[in-house]
Amino acid sequence: MTKRIVILVILALVGLSAGFWLGHRNQQAADTSDAAVAQLLATRLPDLKGTEQAVSQWKGKTLVINFWAPWCGPCVEEMPELAALSHEYAAKNVQFVGIGIDTAQNMIAFEQKVKVDYPLLVAGYAGTDLARALGDKAGALPFTVVVDAQGRMHYQKLGRITTDEVHAALKPLI
């Protein structure tokens, strides 16, 4: 009987320790995510005309931030869909923003071929650091995040995002 009690106590302690560790680890992830979103909202980048834009100007809106580059095949494939979705959600307090990981010159050449009417901001290759902070651990493109109107990370996707995935990510936020 004493042996059973000792085993149960040990199991209970292991369970409590694991629960504490998991809870602490999840809190660190949330804190990291919050810090990364704060960093995103504090970012100022030039648009294609060279005018510096503060990401914070869209604070209070649900943000769909797409990190992309003109040389990235999947990025180019998803851009027309993202442009159409931008129109669809324009009246629903949702702002799409493209952050380009390239030069303004290359992005302008791309935009002349593929019209995108949501803001395109030029981050250059330093934009990969911002994407990594938001969860793109591979440093690959495209990478899309959805930040809710309260400034909390809601969704992230590495790779080509589909219309259905955007709808699913935005549905609980509208």
Side-chain angles (χ1 to χ4, degrees):
M1 181 71 161
T2 306
K3 189 176 180 180
R4 281 186 181 170
I5 292 173
V6 169
I7 290 172
L8 287 174
V9 168
I10 290 172
L11 288 174
L13 289 173
V14 168
L16 283 171
S17 298
F20 177 78
W21 179 79
L22 283 171
H24 181 70
R25 186 185 68 147
N26 288 341
Q27 182 60 44
Q28 284 180 324
D31 291 346
T32 301
S33 171
D34 290 346
V37 171
Q39 178 186 356
L40 171 70
L41 293 172
T43 299
R44 299 178 68 83
L45 296 168
D47 61 20
L48 296 184
K49 294 177 183 168
T51 305
E52 194 170 281
Q53 301 290 331
V55 176
S56 63
Q57 70 184 292
W58 300 296
K59 203 172 185 177
K61 292 186 174 206
T62 296
L63 297 175
V64 178
I65 307 288
N66 177 253
F67 291 87
W68 70 285
W71 44 261
C72 164
C75 301
V76 172
E77 291 173 11
E78 71 185 4
M79 291 295 270
E81 293 173 20
L82 291 173
L85 287 163
S86 174
H87 281 288
E88 182 180 338
Y89 285 97
K92 298 178 180 174
N93 203 37
V94 176
Q95 178 65 54
F96 285 67
V97 179
I99 297 182
I101 311 298
D102 205 335
T103 65
Q105 182 180 2
N106 290 343
M107 290 172 62
I108 289 167
F110 171 83
E111 208 270 335
Q112 288 172 347
K113 292 181 233 169
V114 179
K115 295 297 180 202
V116 177
D117 58 356
Y118 56 84
L120 297 178
L121 306 179
V122 183
Y125 296 105
T128 55
D129 293 335
L130 183 56
R132 279 196 173 118
L134 290 164
D136 182 2
K137 300 305 179 206
L141 295 174
F143 179 65
T144 305
V145 297
V146 175
V147 176
D148 68 20
Q150 290 74 41
R152 292 184 306 257
M153 179 76 72
H154 175 72
Y155 176 87
Q156 58 182 253
K157 166 79 187 268
L158 176 60
R160 188 184 188 291
I161 195 163
T162 66
T163 298
D164 289 342
E165 289 170 321
V166 174
H167 284 304
L170 292 176
K171 186 176 182 178
L173 302 177
I174 296 176

